């Protein structure tokens, strides 16, 4: 797909009330292994965890005759390339359209197949955002003045095959060795000490990995330690869980209570404790999501959403608008839509800056401004998040955008590169020659005035 912001029809053709309908059938019963699973069982977080799929062979066992040999072999090929292990809850697995898995946006996100992969861009990097470079102590990335990223765990209930931290998250695969696995309990004091000794820090993003994988005790421990640091004003627990494992919220009462207690303690201290989640496709939204989000809303805990713009998942206007309206309907605030990071094994997912600008243009004005996400590019090399249209210069022909980040890394220049497959034949030929690449980049930099 190539959207030209100035020529394409950017109107939404969605039915006005599509976002008010939440899927509520017993959709999992089409999966042969789960045809007799009751609503009560399916709603139980323990059942979901226990029946999560962690191996390609399990996909075949659970699907039975729904799994074609062609698809199975394609998944085996995918395992040789992907930087991420498989881990998927029955909830997400059953939402995949198994009559055409190749095209399904959920299959694309969580079950990589060999035939989808493209060669990585010449300037991709495992640590594209320089999170390790900007890390003063283990588990902390300190890039912005008053906020830090804290990564206490390297596991998640579902692994996204496009994870921006694939170098760290989810254990080693056939193609990538990873050092740690699980919750880094021993390293937390170092992180707290760092935050305590830097009074400019007011805001901590507790991510990973996924905060869903912290036990209730660990969540309380982290929350209380951080709230007790006088200069900390804002905590955000980041979890994709609400999107892919909502049963945790509706049935793991101990965990949810621990979060509510941290939230309450924060409120009493005049500090905010919120949750950031990660819905990317309207297909992830069902009555289970609605029930989970209602629980947050009733507890007074703000939930915000961060999506990633991905080809074949949400890179069209109707899906993006539907997703945003669904978030509003569930009282979740759409916060960011990221253009895809330039990390390994993700070239097939990436879109161009021009496409994302076109989608942002079509979305803005659809609903409340405070429910309209900001489309951002997290500048490769650690420039941080920049509004998608705020590049200094954009050579659309060669797919090179030039960025600066005056508040984050004054004086530095950053580049984002559009996927080569979306460029003209002539531009693709130029990219094939390393000396031409350097020349094009130098030229873009000069045109930008640096
Ligand atoms: C995204 C991010 C944050 C939080 O940034 P916001 O724009 O406030 O959401 C903080 N630290 C790092 C390193 C990040 O990547
Ligand atoms: S939930 Fe987040 S950290 Fe976990 S695999 Fe997905 S993108 Fe990576």
């Amino acid at each position: 797909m190539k959207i030209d912001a100035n020529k394409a029809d950017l109107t939404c053709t969605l039915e006005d009330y599509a976002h008010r309908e939440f899927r509520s059938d017993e959709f999992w019963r089409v999966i042969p292994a789960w045809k007799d699973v009751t609503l009560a069982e399916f709603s139980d977080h323990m059942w979901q965890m226990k029946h999560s799929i962690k191996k390609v062979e399990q996909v075949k066992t659970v699907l039975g005759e729904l799994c074609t040999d062609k698809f199975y072999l394609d998944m085996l090929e995918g395992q040789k390339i992907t930087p991420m292990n498989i881990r998927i809850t029955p909830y997400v697995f059953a939402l995949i359209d198994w009559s055409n898995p190749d095209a399904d946006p959920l299959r694309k996100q969580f079950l990589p197949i060999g035939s989808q992969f493209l060669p990585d861009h010449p300037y991709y990097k495992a640590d594209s955002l320089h999170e390790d470079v900007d890390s003063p102590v283990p588990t902390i990335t300190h890039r912005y003045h008053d906020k830090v990223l804290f990564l206490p765990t390297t596991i998640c209930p579902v692994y996204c095959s496009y994870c921006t931290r694939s170098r760290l998250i989810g254990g080693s695969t056939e193609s990538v060795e990873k050092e740690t696995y699980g919750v880094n309990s021993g390293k937390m004091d170092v992180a707290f000490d760092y935050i305590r000794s830097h009074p400019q820090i007011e805001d901590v993003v507790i991510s990973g990995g996924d905060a869903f994988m912290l036990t209730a005790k660990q969540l309380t421990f982290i929350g209380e330690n951080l709230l007790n640091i006088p200069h900390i004003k804002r905590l955000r627990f980041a979890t994709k869980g609400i999107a892919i494992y909502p049963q945790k919220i509706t049935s793991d009462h101990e965990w949810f209570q621990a979060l509510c207690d941290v939230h309450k303690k924060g409120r009493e201290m005049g500090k905010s404790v919120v949750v950031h989640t990660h819905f990317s496709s309207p297909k992830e939204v069902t009555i289970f999501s609605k029930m989970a989000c209602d629980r947050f809303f009733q507890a007074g805990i703000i939930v915000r959403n961060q999506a990633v713009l991905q080809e074949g998942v949400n890179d069209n206007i109707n899906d993006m608008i539907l997703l945003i309206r669904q978030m509003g309907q569930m009282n979740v605030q759409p916060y960011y839509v990221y253009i895809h990071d330039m990390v390994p094994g993700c070239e097939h997912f990436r879109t161009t800056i021009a496409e994302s600008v076109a989608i942002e243009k079509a979305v803005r004005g659809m609903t409340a401004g405070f429910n309209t996400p900001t489309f951002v590019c997290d500048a490769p090399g650690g420039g941080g998040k920049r509004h998608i249209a705020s590049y200094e210069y954009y050579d659309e022909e060669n797919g090179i955008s030039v960025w600066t980040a005056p508040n984050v890394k004054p004086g530095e220049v950053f580049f984002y590169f559009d996927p080569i497959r979306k460029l003209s034949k002539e531009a693709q030929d130029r990219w094939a020659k390393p000396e031409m690449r350097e020349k094009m980049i130098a030229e873009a930099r000069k045109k930008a005035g640096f």
Side-chain angles (χ1 to χ4, degrees), residues 131 141 143-144 147-149 203 205 236 276 306 335-336 338 378 385:
E131 291 185 335
T141 297
R143 169 172 309 142
Y144 303 94
K147 55 192 177 188
V148 292
L149 181 61
D203 184 340
V205 182
R236 334 174 193 174
H276 280 202
Q306 311 192 171
Y335 179 38
Y336 283 142
Y338 293 88
D378 211 337
K385 301 168 187 75

Side-chain angles (χ1 to χ4, degrees), residues 10 16 47 77-78 91 103 114 117 160 171 178 195 209 228 270 300 308-309 311-312 330 332 355 362 373 376 401 443:
L10 296 180
D16 281 351
W47 188 91
E77 281 306 305
Y91 172 70
F117 287 103
C160 313
K178 303 178 196 179
I195 296 168
N228 285 337
V308 186
L309 186 64
E311 180 164 283
M330 299 194 295
V332 172
E355 286 168 339
V376 291
S401 46
E443 212 155 279

Side-chain angles (χ1 to χ4, degrees), residues 264-293:
K264 182 162 173 278
K265 180 179 162 85
R267 201 173 48 199
E268 284 162 6
M269 299 170 84
K271 303 182 176 199
S272 83
V273 176
V274 306
V275 170
H276 280 202
T277 194
H278 176 16
F279 285 92
S280 273
S281 156
K283 273 198 82 171
E284 288 159 3
V285 178
T286 67
I287 195 73
F288 289 97
S289 334
K290 174 78 165 62
M291 289 189 297
C293 293

Side-chain angles (χ1 to χ4, degrees), residues 84 155-156 158-160 162-165 169 208-210 240 278:
M84 293 301 288
I155 51 175
C156 310
V158 162
Y159 291 128
C160 313
Y162 56 87
C163 180
T164 200
R165 297 194 189 111
I169 304 298
D210 194 309
K240 189 172 170 70
H278 176 16

Side-chain angles (χ1 to χ4, degrees), residues 300-369:
I301 302 175
I302 290 173
V303 181
R304 303 194 187 106
N305 191 57
Q306 311 192 171
V308 186
L309 186 64
Q310 292 180 318
E311 180 164 283
V313 174
N314 55 17
D315 67 332
N316 69 79
I317 290 152
N318 279 0
D319 279 348
M320 191 52 84
I321 287 176
L322 179 56
L323 178 71
I324 289 165
R325 285 179 171 169
Q326 284 170 325
M327 294 302 112
Q329 196 68 17
M330 299 194 295
N331 293 303
V332 172
Q333 297 174 355
Y335 179 38
Y336 283 142
V337 175
Y338 293 88
I339 195 165
H340 215 293
D341 291 332
M342 294 188 62
V343 287
C346 291
E347 202 54 18
H348 58 288
F349 275 131
R350 295 204 303 121
T351 54
T352 65
I353 296 288
E355 286 168 339
S356 53
V357 170
I359 293 176
E360 119 78 49
K361 191 169 173 177
V363 161
R364 191 155 297 279
M366 255 306 146
T367 186

Side-chain angles (χ1 to χ4, degrees), residues 50-157:
K50 189 159 164 240
H51 293 88
S52 283
I53 288 162
K54 299 182 201 120
K55 291 211 160 55
V56 172
E57 296 72 37
Q58 278 174 284
V59 174
K60 198 171 179 162
T61 318
V62 167
L63 282 180
E65 64 199 25
L66 290 182
C67 186
T68 63
D69 287 343
K70 181 174 158 291
F71 183 75
Y72 183 65
L73 293 174
D74 212 355
M75 270 197 306
L76 288 178
E77 281 306 305
Q79 287 304 295
K80 295 181 189 157
I81 309 168
T82 179
M84 293 301 288
N85 277 309
I86 289 183
R87 183 176 185 137
I88 180 166
T89 50
Y91 172 70
V92 181
F93 189 88
L95 285 170
I96 292 171
D97 173 7
W98 286 105
S99 68
N100 187 11
D102 287 16
D104 188 275
L106 303 184
R107 197 288 304 154
K108 285 182 185 175
Q109 289 180 81
F110 309 114
L111 292 172
I113 51 178
S115 59
Q116 78 190 17
F117 287 103
L118 297 169
D120 288 320
H121 189 279
Y123 290 99
Y124 89 97
K125 265 193 193 156
D127 182 21
S128 176
L129 305 182
H130 280 199
E131 291 185 335
D132 302 340
V133 180
D134 289 344
S135 172
V137 296
T139 76
I140 293 279
T141 297
H142 191 183
R143 169 172 309 142
Y144 303 94
H145 179 70
D146 72 350
K147 55 192 177 188
V148 292
L149 181 61
F150 173 36
L151 307 175
T153 176
T154 59
I155 51 175
C156 310

